[in-house]
Amino acid sequence: MSTKRSLATKLGVVTGFENPQAALEQYPTPPELAAHVVHLADLHDDVDGRTIVDLGAGTGMFALAAALRGPARVVGVEIDRSALLTARANERRVAASAPVHWIHADAVRHPLAIPDPVTVVMNPPFGAQDGNRHADRGFLETASEIADVSYSVHNAGSRSFVESFVGDRGGEVTHAFAADFEVDAQFDHHVDDAREIDTEVYRIRWR
């Protein structure tokens, strides 16, 4: 297994959104955070030989991090076609050995039926935009339907919501930790060149 630092370095070539959409909350996942989450998943035997699904894959950061750690296959689901084009280009840059399949679809209205053991990794929209409150709920719903275990990034202060949602579906939050998420200025409402967002990462066992 390569080190977490080595994985983050390899992910440094992954480019972000060419034309990010505020309504979709398209913020690129930092390579260090993706490496940390996928490294944790690997330590829990949630990657090797399994099918990894990245819901709301964006330009592929989580999907490609997983693809570098020996899964059977990786599936990236993304609603934005232009982001998927970038993800495919990033796949070539990373040169992962595992097969990666990109699906143009809405992660909350997914076309997936996977018989193999599935691990979901995702950085869903936090619901910060007007009219987008609890946008991460639909992503968790999909994870509960297709995954044995999932890893997801949420806005700080989400623990009570996540634990309640998971508990209602017979799942269990096994790990939770805080994580910094640096966001560069990319929309008109951003006033700083970059800022840190406080986030939380959850490992959930669904079944």
Side-chain angles (χ1 to χ4, degrees), residues 37-177:
V37 172
V38 170
H39 182 74
L40 178 65
D42 213 356
L43 291 175
H44 284 86
D45 296 324
D46 291 331
V47 177
D48 188 38
R50 297 172 65 92
T51 294
I52 310 299
V53 177
D54 182 357
L55 298 175
T59 63
M61 185 66 79
F62 264 134
L64 297 174
L68 289 166
R69 282 296 181 91
R73 67 194 59 80
V74 176
V75 178
V77 181
E78 173 55 46
I79 196 171
D80 181 2
R81 191 179 296 276
S82 65
L84 280 181
L85 293 175
T86 302
R88 290 190 178 98
N90 284 331
E91 181 187 353
R92 293 190 289 272
R93 293 186 184 96
V94 168
S97 56
V100 183
H101 310 280
W102 304 104
I103 298 177
H104 180 226
D106 187 342
V108 303
R109 297 178 178 85
H110 65 91
L112 302 173
I114 303 172
D116 311 320
V118 170
T119 296
V120 161
V121 290
M122 60 181 179
N123 173 23
F126 296 159
Q129 297 299 311
D130 290 342
N132 211 23
R133 184 173 169 80
H134 295 313
D136 49 357
R137 183 188 300 272
F139 284 75
L140 286 171
E141 187 71 57
T142 298
S144 74
E145 294 169 354
I146 68 171
D148 302 280
V149 64
S150 67
Y151 294 78
S152 54
V153 183
H154 300 265
N155 208 11
S158 297
R159 183 157 190 162
S160 60
F161 155 67
V162 172
E163 289 184 338
S164 176
F165 184 96
V166 172
D168 287 346
R169 284 152 185 79
E172 177 189 9
V173 174
T174 64
H175 296 75
F177 59 90

